[in-house]
């Protein structure tokens, strides 16, 4: 998830800390246009993974709260207060929301960084401006997408139009909280749906603030509802609610499977699942600029602390250059030492939570038993969320670090001698979200890219992504696509209206 802007962060650590000291945390859910508490006033703590400090108490919503939110969305949809507006009117409101996101960029960047440990240098230049830009792109697209006239026989006119599906629930993770929410809400709202957003429990703040800003932008009450709380309660209630017409989910494959089950148990509904990955980074010896490759390898696994669904967590390198490349990667990995996420000079922030750090460190310990540790592998900071950039080589193909999604700054390196072996290693995973290939041979790059089974193949780069290109997976990485005009497929029905008017009068 690396779409970038040219704006530098431009502030010192002290200035970001000052902003963080002043920032107000949103503490109310957004339901039917009102800022509300959870049933019975129940709350749960939002914790800073860099310090362990409690940041705020947010609503710990219940099944009854979810029901209220879905009913509010349903009512707004049925009354047509949003879907009934012209595309140009919807565009104006969503552009206003995009402007408000941009106007509140510092606040949102700091909220995101404090909630998750993400670098403010990234949230202020990528996540927040990127979210505003993506929302604006969908707003702009909605009055430029035309319907179709089918090539039917004379005497008939069949028009194909897109209609909103109804109530869309977006259940999103903590690694790119605002961006993944916008990836789903942008096209869903532009198409005229009413929505319910459930952020991950680790990252409620930007979602709640987004709900407030949407009201300020003029989105009618009930069109965007935001409910916070735990996955097994709030996520499950949304997944099972008969009033939800479509689910857009990003997260683990395990929970994605639960959403398939929820639909099977309750009602047939549209599902879009963007799940995990174990993406291969295949490097051939004919990639001339090894320094650039090493930069790409490090960015592919250490950006966002490796908490990226499409992270290039498996390096698959031709044996003749493996030692040279790994030496470069180890050297460059030092630039990603974990530190204060509010300091623009920090290379990598802490992991999202103590619980998640425990999972990552468990996998690192397993890696030490089955592989050769080249660098890292330790906690380096005030809390165990600060995990060093870690590189393993001589990795056993069946070991846990070779097969499990670590979702942390941990690279597993493998070597090959032939193109066939490279592809065999690349495909030794049930996932298929992303893949990279590095080669200066045009024919090899085309040949290998064509064979790699992944939703996105990046050639001589890593994790290439843009609002104009679809993003999603093959296999156990899910189905459906975020981004691009194809995202509308998840949030619209195609409707055929057939007029039989007779061939001659
Ligand atoms: P989850 O898949 O558990 O969480 C994603 C979203 O689903 C969150 O909003 C979560 O809510 C919700 N959720 C959790 N349990 C349920 C449930 N039983 N029913 C309905 N919704 C639920 O991911 P985690 O955040 O726990 O991370 C676990 C692993 O998932 C990571 O280590 C990583 O491997 C993978 N992951 C993949 C991501 C991706 O982008 N593809 C993103 C994040 C994680 P809540 O958090 O409040 O419980």
């Amino acid at each position: 998830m690396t779409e970038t802007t040219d704006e530098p962060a431009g502030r010192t650590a002290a200035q970001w800390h000052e902003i963080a000291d002043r920032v107000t945390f949103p503490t109310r859910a957004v339901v039917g246009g009102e800022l509300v508490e959870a049933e019975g006033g129940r709350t749960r703590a939002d914790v800073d993974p860099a310090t362990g400090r409690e940041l705020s108490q947010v609503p710990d919503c219940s099944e009854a709260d979810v029901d209220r939110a879905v009913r509010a969305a349903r009512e707004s949809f049925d009354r047509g207060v949003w879907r009934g507006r012209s595309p140009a009117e919807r565009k104006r409101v969503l552009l206003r929301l995009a402007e408000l996101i941009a106007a509140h960029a510092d606040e949102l960047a700091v909220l995101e960084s404090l909630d998750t440990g993400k670098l403010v240098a990234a949230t202020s230049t990528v996540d927040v401006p990127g979210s505003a830009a993506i929302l604006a792109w969908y707003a702009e697209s909605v009055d430029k997408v035309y319907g179709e006239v089918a090539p039917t026989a004379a005497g008939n006119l069949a028009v194909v139009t897109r209609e909103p599906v109804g109530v869309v629930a977006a259940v999103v993770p903590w690694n790119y909280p605002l961006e993944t929410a916008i990836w789903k809400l942008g096209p869903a709202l532009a198409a005229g749906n009413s929505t319910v957003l459930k952020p991950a429990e680790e990252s409620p703040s930007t979602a709640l603030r987004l709900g407030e800003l949407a009201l300020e932008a003029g989105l009618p009450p009930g069109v965007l509802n935001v409910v916070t709380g735990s996955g097994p309660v709030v996520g499950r209630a949304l997944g099972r609610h008969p009033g939800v017409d479509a689910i857009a989910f990003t997260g683990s494959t395990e929970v994605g499977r639960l959403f398939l089950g929820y639909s099977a148990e309750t009602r047939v509904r549209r599902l879009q699942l963007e799940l995990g990955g174990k993406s291969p980074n295949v490097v051939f010896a004919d990639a001339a600029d090894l320094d650039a490759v090493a930069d790409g390898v490090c960015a592919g696994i250490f950006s966002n602390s490796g908490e990226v669904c499409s992270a290039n967590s498996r390096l698959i390198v031709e044996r003749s250059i493996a030692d040279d490349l790994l030496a470069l990667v180890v050297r460059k990995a030092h630039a990603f030492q974990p530190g204060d996420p509010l300091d623009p000079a920090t290379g990598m922030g802490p992991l999202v939570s103590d619980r998640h750090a425990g999972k990552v460190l468990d996998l690192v310990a397993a890696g030490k038993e089955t592989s050769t540790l080249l660098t890292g592998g330790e906690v380096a900071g005030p809390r165990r969320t600060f995990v060093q950039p870690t590189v393993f080589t001589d990795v056993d193909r069946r070991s846990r670090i070779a097969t499990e999604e670590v979702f942390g700054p941990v690279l597993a390196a493998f070597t090959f001698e032939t193109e066939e072996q490279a592809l065999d290693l690349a495909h030794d995973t049930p996932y298929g979200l992303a893949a990279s290939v590095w080669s200066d041979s045009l024919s090899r790059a085309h040949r290998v890219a064509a064979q790699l089974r992944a939703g996105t193949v990046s050639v001589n780069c890593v994790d290439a992504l843009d609002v104009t290109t679809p993003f999603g997976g093959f296999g156990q990485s899910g189905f459906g696509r975020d981004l691009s005009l194809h995202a509308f497929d998840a949030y619209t029905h195609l409707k055929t209206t057939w007029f039989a008017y007779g061939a001659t009068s």
Side-chain angles (χ1 to χ4, degrees):
M1 302 187 184
T2 52
E3 77 274 9
T4 54
T5 72
D6 295 330
E7 283 294 309
R11 286 203 174 77
T12 64
Q15 287 170 326
W16 282 118
H17 275 282
E18 258 176 51
I19 296 171
D21 289 342
R22 287 197 314 266
V23 79
T24 304
F25 284 84
T27 56
R28 295 283 185 273
V30 182
V31 176
E34 306 285 329
L35 305 188
V36 299
E37 294 186 347
E39 183 189 36
R42 280 162 41 107
T43 60
R44 61 190 305 132
D46 177 25
V47 175
D48 178 352
T51 61
R53 172 174 74 100
E54 181 180 307
L55 296 166
S56 66
Q57 287 282 333
V58 299
D60 189 13
C61 292
S62 64
E63 222 172 292
D65 295 315
V66 170
D67 186 54
R68 271 197 294 161
V70 174
R71 283 174 192 279
R74 168 63 52 199
E75 205 233 349
S76 72
F77 187 79
D78 288 347
R79 286 199 300 123
V81 293
W82 180 243
R83 78 176 154 87
R85 292 198 188 178
S86 71
E89 284 176 76
R90 293 204 298 272
K91 174 174 84 171
R92 266 196 295 280
V93 174
L94 293 178
L95 284 179
R96 173 83 187 118
L97 178 54
E99 283 163 14
L100 284 173
I101 291 171
H104 290 266
D106 285 352
E107 175 197 353
L108 290 165
V110 162
L111 288 175
E112 198 86 307
S113 187
L114 290 171
D115 268 10
T116 62
K118 286 168 73 82
L119 295 178
V120 79
T123 57
S124 62
T125 58
V126 178
D127 298 64
V128 176
S131 297
I134 290 167
L135 183 60
W137 193 87
Y138 282 108
E140 284 290 357
S141 71
V142 74
D143 63 352
K144 298 168 190 72
V145 177
Y146 292 74
E148 298 165 10
V149 176
T152 53
N156 298 282
L157 174 68
V159 292
V160 183
T161 50
R162 282 188 183 270
E163 299 204 345
V165 294
V167 174
V168 173
V171 179
V172 298
W174 40 257
N175 56 341
Y176 288 86
L178 185 62
E179 276 207 273
T180 44
I182 293 293
W183 283 18
K184 295 168 192 324
L185 296 176
L189 290 170
N193 295 284
S194 291
T195 59
V196 183
L197 170 64
K198 183 242 175 286
E201 56 196 286
E202 287 88 350
S203 54
S205 299
T206 52
L208 293 173
R209 194 69 184 106
L210 179 68
E212 295 174 3
L213 293 175
L215 294 173
E216 196 179 326
L219 208 65
V223 174
L224 170 56
N225 305 276
V226 186
V227 278
T228 47
S230 87
V233 175
V234 177
R236 181 174 182 275
L238 282 169
R240 292 177 54 84
H241 200 293
V244 171
D245 299 294
I247 299 272
F249 172 77
T250 295
S252 61
T253 298
E254 186 190 354
V255 176
R257 290 166 64 119
L258 291 180
F259 275 98
L260 288 166
Y262 299 150
S263 294
E265 288 162 21
T266 50
R267 62 160 285 193
V268 171
R269 63 164 65 84
R270 196 72 67 89
L271 259 184
Q272 187 239 20
L273 301 177
E274 200 269 274
L275 308 176
K278 192 77 184 168
S279 299
N281 201 349
V282 182
V283 184
F284 287 95
D286 58 16
D289 188 349
L290 219 52
D291 202 64
V293 177
D295 282 334
V297 170
C298 286
I301 185 61
F302 302 134
S303 293
N304 211 51
S305 308
E307 295 169 328
V308 182
C309 47
S310 48
N312 291 98
S313 51
R314 293 182 302 138
L315 173 63
I316 297 170
V317 53
E318 192 161 344
R319 183 156 299 151
S320 60
I321 58 160
D323 289 348
D324 290 346
L325 179 60
L326 283 168
L328 279 170
V329 167
V330 165
R331 185 148 57 77
K332 288 174 187 286
H334 292 303
F336 291 86
Q337 288 307 317
D340 175 9
L342 294 182
D343 183 346
T346 302
M348 197 170 71
L351 297 173
V352 72
S353 67
D354 202 60
R355 186 175 58 129
H356 184 59
K359 185 190 145 194
V360 171
L361 288 168
D362 180 47
L363 279 160
V364 168
K368 286 178 180 172
E369 282 173 18
T370 53
S371 322
T372 304
L373 179 69
L374 288 182
T375 188
E378 301 296 332
V379 169
R383 306 188 71 238
R384 73 167 176 169
T385 48
F386 293 81
V387 175
Q388 290 179 325
T390 299
V391 179
F392 287 109
T393 189
D394 305 323
V395 177
D396 176 344
R397 280 175 77 159
R398 300 271 64 84
S399 66
R400 291 182 64 200
I401 53 160
T403 55
E404 291 183 32
E405 186 179 35
V406 181
F407 229 68
V410 181
L411 180 68
F414 308 81
T415 57
F416 68 86
E417 279 173 349
T418 66
E419 213 171 282
E420 197 184 0
Q421 285 172 355
L423 282 163
D424 181 50
L425 278 162
H427 290 149
D428 195 10
T429 172
Y431 296 114
L433 190 54
S436 280
V437 53
W438 299 80
S439 170
D440 277 13
S441 156
L442 190 63
S443 52
R444 190 201 297 276
H446 277 283
R447 190 167 58 238
V448 173
Q451 289 177 84
L452 282 167
R453 290 194 295 270
T456 299
V457 177
S458 304
V459 180
N460 293 335
C461 57
V462 288
D463 218 3
L465 180 98
D466 190 74
V467 66
T468 57
T469 54
F471 182 81
F474 289 12
Q476 298 305 292
S477 294
F479 52 81
R481 293 293 180 264
D482 284 316
L483 301 177
S484 81
L485 294 180
H486 294 285
F488 282 119
D489 294 345
Y491 309 113
T492 54
H493 288 302
L494 285 179
K495 179 172 179 177
T496 301
T497 310
W498 192 295
F499 302 89
Y501 56 84
T504 51
S505 61

